[in-house]
Amino acid sequence: MSCGEILCQEALKSLNCYLADPKSKLIRDIANVIKKYGSPSEINERAREARKVSNLLQRLGKIDSPYLKDLEWLMEQKEKRAFISISEFRRKVLGDEADLMQFDESTAVTLEISALQYFPWFITEAKRAIEKGEVMPGRFIRVRNMKEQERDKGDIMAVAAATQIVGASLVETLDTKGTDGSNIHLGGPETLTGYFTGVGQPNDHPVQWVDEYLYYAINYGVQEVLNVNPGSVLAGLILYRLGVDIKFKISVFMGTDNLYYLFILFALAKMLAREDGSTSLSGINISNSVNAKTLLAMAQMRRDLGLEDKVRIEHHITEAYKSIVIQPYCRRGDLLVALEHGVPNISAKHEGGDPEDEVKLDHPSDILDYFRAKAEIEEAGDFEKLEQNFIYKHIALNRTAEELTKRGFSFIAATGLHSR
């Protein structure tokens, strides 16, 4: 055994001893939050019950939510098989040639859309998908204020039910983050340099983040959330290791843009995995700056560390037209390169329309719209404009599905709606 190997084992032993020590502040603080809600097994059971579609529908009925009627319509359309099947979609794109082609299911791409801010947009998207023979996303991301959606006619429950009905995964974004006023560096343009310190979760926020997660888990069945800070990444990994069935994906806002950073994340996921090898880290939304070469190297590292089937690579195909990237931005080419090299477990995230569509809009998609209150949006008369932005993301997502189909690649749309 080399000296390097000895040092490595000693270092790992030291880290493990620290984390296993009941006096460790990192573990003690999170364990104390868990106790507020019960044992990990009790929390998991309460979350499962809260997540059941039947229970969500019943609760929506009790508050006389207008969204219940839409969910009933959605279930009726699903029962009628009103949505296009995958084979029909392929024939729509390729014609008779589709029946002769072999599609690679091993690298099926998850079609992802962000951000589904309001439940009515989901229904608008579903109606369009039926009318035009389009596919619905297999993964939805939300960035709406949690307290606001909780108060909005049962919006939080309606979206949770809808995504389960259609067979899509759902990611929520908790309110506990630096933009909640806790980071004194952050304000408007006059504090721009403060953003270089990181939006983050300062001071006790990682523990508060755990507390907020557990509240929404047991009350609404929320399971998967966005993560924007290394501290709450570690907190999420520890929470899972202690027995709570949390899942989280890492946001593009963390700026994961090189292999050295990726190794840190993968290493933490491995160190704090459960005995069965599973981890709470479900996906990494890599930086918009990452090129195809790094994407492939990331996939190789993930494979080498035994995380290929556990951690999804989530890559932006499109981005909001304003306030986040230099336009035009469209990265379908990177996705195709990854698939040509056989990279599995990858998602194509659509956070904006295609640039050639966005440039024509009176109100192009703007990442800053995520941080506006619904009341302010409605008062400004912008609600329909923002819904239009969301639909252009849906259009971009379907273009990605078409491009994949033309090249013999498969994709994962809403599995409950689009049969093979």
Side-chain angles (χ1 to χ4, degrees):
M1 183 179 291
S2 69
C3 292
E5 288 174 323
I6 292 171
L7 289 173
C8 182
Q9 287 185 12
E10 289 177 352
L12 288 173
K13 181 179 179 181
S14 175
L15 291 171
N16 191 54
C17 287
Y18 178 79
L19 291 174
D21 186 348
K23 296 180 181 179
S24 164
K25 181 173 175 57
L26 294 180
I27 304 299
R28 186 180 70 243
D29 287 354
I30 292 176
N32 286 339
V33 175
I34 292 174
K35 289 177 184 177
K36 288 174 53 178
Y37 298 93
S39 67
S41 60
E42 289 170 339
I43 291 169
N44 294 337
E45 178 58 28
R46 290 174 70 183
R48 280 192 293 270
E49 284 298 309
R51 194 180 305 125
K52 287 181 178 178
V53 173
S54 57
N55 291 337
L56 291 168
L57 296 177
Q58 185 179 48
R59 291 174 67 185
L60 287 167
K62 285 182 178 179
I63 63 172
D64 198 23
S65 171
Y67 301 146
L68 181 59
K69 178 180 64 176
D70 291 322
L71 289 167
E72 290 170 346
W73 171 85
L74 183 65
M75 290 186 287
E76 288 171 5
Q77 300 310 306
K78 177 182 176 180
E79 184 69 22
K80 288 165 53 178
R81 296 183 178 270
F83 293 86
I84 194 169
S85 69
I86 299 300
S87 57
E88 289 169 340
F89 182 86
R90 288 169 174 168
R91 282 193 291 272
K92 175 186 168 187
V93 175
L94 299 171
D96 294 340
E97 184 182 349
D99 297 328
L100 304 175
M101 287 185 64
Q102 294 290 324
F103 292 88
D104 187 356
E105 300 292 344
S106 67
T107 58
V109 175
T110 301
L111 297 177
E112 182 174 331
I113 196 166
S114 178
L116 174 62
Q117 298 298 77
Y118 307 99
F119 172 72
W121 295 1
F122 188 101
I123 299 301
T124 299
E125 183 183 20
K127 289 179 178 177
R128 178 190 166 95
I130 292 172
E131 178 188 351
K132 296 188 177 295
E134 296 171 340
V135 293
M136 291 285 283
R139 187 163 172 81
F140 289 84
I141 315 299
R142 304 195 81 194
V143 195
R144 187 183 179 188
N145 178 277
M146 297 293 291
K147 286 297 182 186
E148 183 183 86
Q149 58 174 297
E150 187 180 20
R151 295 189 297 263
D152 186 9
K153 308 169 191 172
D155 177 276
I156 187 172
M157 293 184 285
V159 171
T163 49
Q164 290 182 79
I165 289 168
V166 305
S169 58
L170 171 66
V171 181
E172 289 277 10
T173 302
L174 301 178
D175 293 337
T176 307
K177 48 187 177 290
T179 52
D180 62 1
S182 61
N183 189 330
I184 60 172
H185 298 291
L186 303 186
E190 70 278 5
T191 61
L192 180 62
T193 55
Y195 284 79
F196 289 107
T197 68
V199 175
Q201 275 130 350
N203 305 314
D204 293 329
H205 262 49
V207 178
Q208 294 170 20
W209 182 89
V210 168
D211 199 343
E212 185 185 3
Y213 171 80
L214 292 173
Y215 169 81
Y216 285 107
I218 66 168
N219 284 289
Y220 300 102
V222 170
Q223 182 171 30
E224 188 169 359
V225 292
L226 204 65
N227 217 319
V228 300
N229 178 262
S232 50
V233 166
L234 180 59
L237 291 167
I238 290 173
L239 188 61
Y240 185 74
R241 191 68 176 88
L242 291 176
V244 176
D245 291 337
I246 182 176
K247 288 289 182 181
F248 67 84
K249 64 164 284 186
I250 288 173
S251 167
V252 70
F253 285 126
M254 268 188 65
T256 310
D257 55 3
N258 60 72
L259 289 179
Y260 300 90
Y261 194 170
L262 283 162
F263 180 78
I264 292 171
L265 297 174
F266 286 147
L268 283 172
K270 290 288 287 186
M271 284 176 58
L272 289 163
R274 289 183 180 169
E275 292 182 1
D276 62 2
S278 64
T279 174
S280 52
L281 176 59
S282 62
I284 299 176
N285 198 167
I286 48 179
S287 163
N288 296 315
S289 300
V290 168
N291 57 30
K293 180 180 177 182
T294 299
L295 195 62
L296 294 175
M298 173 189 183
Q300 183 62 52
M301 179 186 289
R302 183 183 62 164
R303 183 182 305 118
D304 293 342
L305 293 173
L307 294 169
E308 189 170 68
D309 61 338
K310 299 177 178 66
V311 182
R312 183 188 292 106
I313 297 172
E314 306 197 0
H315 191 38
H316 272 105
I317 305 304
T318 57
E319 257 292 7
Y321 197 73
K322 296 177 65 179
S323 306
I324 188 164
V325 294
I326 297 172
Q327 294 288 353
Y329 177 97
C330 185
R331 305 293 290 276
R332 284 194 186 92
D334 290 348
L335 176 67
L336 296 174
V337 169
L339 296 177
E340 287 164 0
H341 284 78
V343 175
N345 199 12
I346 188 169
S347 71
K349 185 175 184 182
H350 300 80
E351 196 136 17
D354 280 344
E356 60 267 30
D357 291 333
E358 290 271 8
V359 73
K360 301 172 185 175
L361 299 176
D362 293 334
H363 185 101
S365 59
D366 189 334
I367 203 74
L368 297 181
D369 285 334
Y370 289 178
F371 305 100
R372 298 170 67 187
K374 183 181 180 182
E376 187 270 319
I377 290 170
E378 291 178 328
E379 185 177 345
D382 288 343
F383 193 83
E384 290 184 0
K385 296 175 184 176
L386 270 58
E387 182 177 68
Q388 181 186 53
N389 292 152
F390 181 73
I391 293 303
Y392 271 103
K393 299 174 187 186
H394 168 85
I395 292 169
L397 179 143
N398 273 269
R399 285 186 184 144
T400 297
E402 290 171 4
E403 291 303 313
L404 293 171
T405 300
K406 290 174 184 176
R407 290 163 175 80
F409 296 122
S410 189
F411 57 80
I412 299 171
T415 57
L417 301 181
H418 307 291
S419 63
R420 288 291 175 191

